[in-house]
Amino acid sequence: MSAIHPTAIVDPGAELDSNVSVGPYSLIGPHVKIGAGTTVGPHVVIEGHTTIGCDNRIFQFTSLGAIPQDKKYAGEPCELVIGDRNTIREFCSFNIGSPGDAGVTRLGDDNWIMAYVHLAHDCQVGNHTIFANNATLAGHVHVGDWAILGGFTGVHQFVRIGAHCMTAISSVLLADLPPFVMCQGQPASARSMNYEGLRRRGFSPERLAGVKAMHKALYREDLTLQAARERIAELDKSEPQRTPDVQMMLSFLDQVSAQRGIVR
């Protein structure tokens, strides 16, 4: 049997693995599914069409699966999907998706989400990210793997954040942040690349040299975005180890809209 506190209210339609624990005064709705090993703290509300994977730890006063903060929403059965081994701290709020997008808000695996983080409707967050306290994503934001958002970071709707990025405290992102970039400011400006984070993740000297060359093309040579993209496309020809990183950067730049641009 699941370890459900007697004061918790779990709808009979909810699907909880036998190894799930639910703390005092928590509320779990009829369309919720929770995988093995997940612990739900006290005073947590999980509602809507919400699917939560295995071995997550959800702390007290968190709200998961509420309807989007979108005036156009009219009760459509959109979803929130959370992967495995995530830590979700106090007072976080993750909304379901909206019919104006894919209809799904998604958090991947192995993420470390600190207190008061908000994921608005249709956000897509990858794996191994860290969101510090009060990081806030507006609707339709995409965040790549291993990204780190500093406390009080605010992200405008539809902005994309590339893999291995890092933002400083109180950064405001109004444009796309390419992979590997560290930024700071209101609005945010690029400061460097996340070299120390890449070293910790096992990037070889050859790969780091490729990241430095991409930074130079994007930010140090006064090139247009198209010219920088063409320069970056040449980088992996002499060093095959750079190919995955170069291709990831090129794919990201190919999706940048003319209206939004990138953080400069």
Side-chain angles (χ1 to χ4, degrees):
M1 295 291 292
S2 301
I4 300 174
H5 193 274
T7 61
I9 300 175
V10 179
D11 191 280
E15 299 179 23
L16 276 60
D17 185 88
S18 61
N19 196 26
V20 170
S21 66
V22 181
Y25 303 104
S26 287
L27 175 64
I28 297 179
H31 305 295
V32 174
K33 301 177 182 179
I34 304 179
T38 290
T39 62
V40 178
H43 298 279
V44 172
V45 177
I46 306 177
E47 56 188 312
H49 291 265
T50 296
T51 301
I52 300 173
C54 299
D55 299 316
N56 296 283
R57 189 174 182 192
I58 302 167
F59 281 72
Q60 55 267 28
F61 306 109
T62 292
S63 171
L64 303 176
I67 64 172
Q69 299 175 114
D70 182 347
K71 290 184 176 181
K72 299 185 298 298
Y73 181 74
E76 296 87 350
C78 297
E79 298 179 75
L80 169 66
V81 177
I82 296 173
D84 302 330
R85 299 177 302 279
N86 297 289
T87 295
I88 301 171
R89 295 301 302 247
E90 300 84 352
F91 297 99
C92 289
S93 57
F94 301 174
N95 296 156
I96 60 171
S98 74
D101 200 326
V104 179
T105 303
R106 193 180 305 274
L107 177 72
D109 302 331
D110 300 294
N111 297 288
W112 184 262
I113 309 298
M114 300 186 197
Y116 291 94
V117 167
H118 178 63
L119 302 187
H121 57 88
D122 305 292
C123 287
Q124 309 292 316
V125 179
N127 308 312
H128 302 285
T129 67
I130 299 174
F131 288 15
N133 300 323
N134 291 96
T136 300
L137 307 187
H140 315 280
V141 170
H142 288 215
V143 181
D145 297 344
W146 300 101
I148 300 175
L149 302 188
F152 295 91
T153 292
V155 186
H156 194 275
Q157 62 181 356
F158 293 103
V159 161
R160 296 179 305 124
I161 299 174
H164 304 285
C165 288
M166 185 172 184
T167 70
I169 188 171
S170 298
S171 296
V172 175
L173 288 175
L174 304 179
D176 289 352
L177 185 64
F180 311 111
V181 175
M182 297 178 66
C183 72
Q184 179 268 335
Q186 301 174 344
S189 297
R191 302 301 184 189
S192 183
M193 294 295 207
N194 188 16
Y195 299 120
E196 184 56 34
L198 300 179
R199 291 187 187 96
R200 292 177 181 179
R201 291 166 208 145
F203 274 54
S204 66
E206 291 78 14
R207 291 180 70 186
L208 287 172
V211 172
K212 290 180 180 179
M214 288 190 284
H215 179 262
K216 183 177 180 182
L218 282 172
Y219 296 110
R220 301 300 182 193
E221 297 189 343
D222 198 27
L223 300 175
T224 65
L225 188 58
Q226 180 58 34
R229 190 203 177 285
E230 293 170 0
R231 183 74 56 85
I232 290 169
E234 300 291 323
L235 292 177
D236 65 338
K237 294 183 178 179
S238 60
E239 182 51 67
Q241 287 191 43
R242 300 175 181 176
T243 298
D245 305 323
V246 170
Q247 293 304 314
M248 180 169 64
M249 179 67 81
L250 293 176
S251 176
F252 186 95
L253 296 177
D254 285 344
Q255 298 176 59
V256 173
S257 72
Q259 294 82 9
R260 190 167 51 248
I262 67 169
V263 168
R264 289 285 199 172

